[in-house]
Each structure stands twice: as C-alpha cells, then as structure tokens.
Amino acid sequence: MEYRTIADRAQAEIEISRSRFLTTLARVETEVAAREVIAEARSAHPRARHHCSAFVLGPGGRVRRSNDDGEPGGTAGAPMLDALTSAGLSDVVAVVTRYFGGVLLGAGGLTRAYRAAVARAIEAARIVTRAPRRSVLVDSGYDVAAVIEAEARRRGWTPGEAEYGEAVSRSYLVAEDQLAPLTALVAELSAGTATVAVGSTAYVDLPSG
C-alpha cells in the first residue's frame, strides 16, 4: 500500500482578524514523536493562547488524533485533521499555534482558519510517496556488476550500497512483483554466475520523477 507524506518540515503563517496562526508540519512515525513536536511548539511559543494539533500515522492513516487545545470543541483539531487526510498524507503531525488578536472569529471562522493554516503549510511542503520494497542482495562478478546496475536503474529498481571483495555485492530495492523479473535479469546478464538473496520488506521513499 503506497501513501504520501512530507519529505521534511514545513512552516506557514496566516493572519485573520489580527489573530496569527503559525503552522508547523513535521514528519513523524510514532505518537511519541508527534507529541514531541507538539511540545516543541509550546516551548517555542509560551505566550500563545492555543497550540492545536492533529496527526496521522501509518499506511492507510490508521492512527488519527486531534486536539482543540482550548478552542471550542471541533473548531480546530478536526478541521486540521481533515486538511491532512484530504491531502492524502500520513506519518505527519500539524501544530497550529494561535496568537489571539482580540477579535472573536466564531465557530465557523475558527474552523476555516485552522484548516486554511494547515493547507497553507501543505502547499509549502515537498510531498513524497512511500511504498513497500523488498531488499535484494545481488552478488556478481566485476565484469557484469555495472551492466546489472545500469539495467536495474533503467527498470526503476533502486540500487543501494555496494561492497567490493572477490565479487561485487550490491543491494536493490524492488516491489514484490518485481522479484521474479530481477532474478531472471541477473541470471541472464551473468549467464547464471550471479546469486540473488531476498531480504526483508520495508517502506521507503520513492525517488521523484
């Protein structure tokens, strides 16, 4: 299952009726990490009235949490969460710090403001796709290692680190349905002299473009 997340932190600021909404968008993989980002925002802006938050974790966004942090119920955390899920993002936490400007926005105004604050940060973020990939180790002779790597790249199989000894040992990350084609390619290019060892599966960031 592929999903989208952010490559690194993004920030944005909007002002509505003299209230400032400062958004931090951070990539996280656990609830503990998400709450650390929220705590950082509180520490960085101790005079702000609210530090509302929302986060989504895991493939399929199976973990979802939000907090209004003193704003009227449902006017901050929920619209922030909606902004994240509408963008199809997971493994991400959003914190919106609000400096009250003295003008009451009302429930509708708050809802629109908090959603807009997160949406603005998403616009500023670099989005990446994550997908499960199987690690495969190919041991081959020096005479064919570069040929295998070049053909693997052409087919979209991501090469990893290589070790050089009596043979060249290079890792590749491939989708599950590409294990058989990779194995067949290695056998063909090496005339059966190279070996393929299939390892574990993990989520990785796919290269852009």
Side-chain angles (χ1 to χ4, degrees):
M1 179 186 296
E2 295 186 359
Y3 65 96
R4 287 157 37 101
T5 188
I6 59 174
D8 42 41
R9 288 201 180 199
Q11 294 182 316
E13 178 178 346
I14 62 174
E15 183 173 331
I16 299 176
S17 298
R18 297 201 298 271
S19 278
R20 294 173 60 212
F21 296 83
L22 286 69
T23 304
T24 295
L25 205 62
R27 180 166 167 173
V28 293
E29 295 185 1
T30 66
E31 289 199 35
V32 171
R35 298 191 188 285
E36 287 177 351
V37 175
I38 298 168
E40 288 174 10
R42 291 185 183 279
S43 177
H45 301 277
R47 298 178 64 184
R49 180 171 293 190
H50 305 284
H51 303 280
C52 305
S53 60
F55 57 85
V56 185
L57 304 174
R62 56 181 177 267
V63 177
R64 304 179 182 191
R65 304 280 188 273
S66 65
N67 190 303
D68 294 314
D69 194 41
E71 295 284 26
T75 63
M80 291 171 61
L81 186 61
D82 181 63
L84 296 177
T85 57
S86 295
L89 298 179
S90 191
D91 285 354
V92 62
V93 58
V95 186
V96 177
T97 296
R98 181 191 181 193
Y99 285 93
F100 182 55
V103 178
L104 297 176
L105 301 181
L110 286 172
T111 298
R112 290 188 294 273
Y114 277 101
R115 195 185 193 289
V118 175
R120 181 69 61 84
I122 292 173
E123 291 175 359
R126 184 166 68 89
I127 307 299
V128 296
T129 299
R130 285 176 64 76
R133 290 292 183 265
R134 183 67 72 93
S135 174
V136 178
L137 185 65
V138 176
D139 287 344
S140 66
Y142 281 77
D143 55 333
V144 297
V147 178
I148 293 173
E149 180 185 350
E151 184 61 22
R153 288 182 182 277
R154 190 183 72 81
R155 300 191 183 197
W157 302 329
T158 306
E161 296 296 322
E163 294 184 2
Y164 299 92
E166 293 184 1
V168 179
S169 297
R170 184 179 292 279
S171 63
Y172 292 90
L173 294 173
V174 300
E176 194 74 25
D177 62 0
Q178 294 299 299
L179 288 175
L182 173 61
T183 302
L185 175 70
V186 170
E188 176 185 351
L189 294 179
S190 70
T193 61
T195 62
V196 175
V198 179
S200 59
T201 299
Y203 272 87
V204 300
D205 291 0
L206 299 183
S208 58

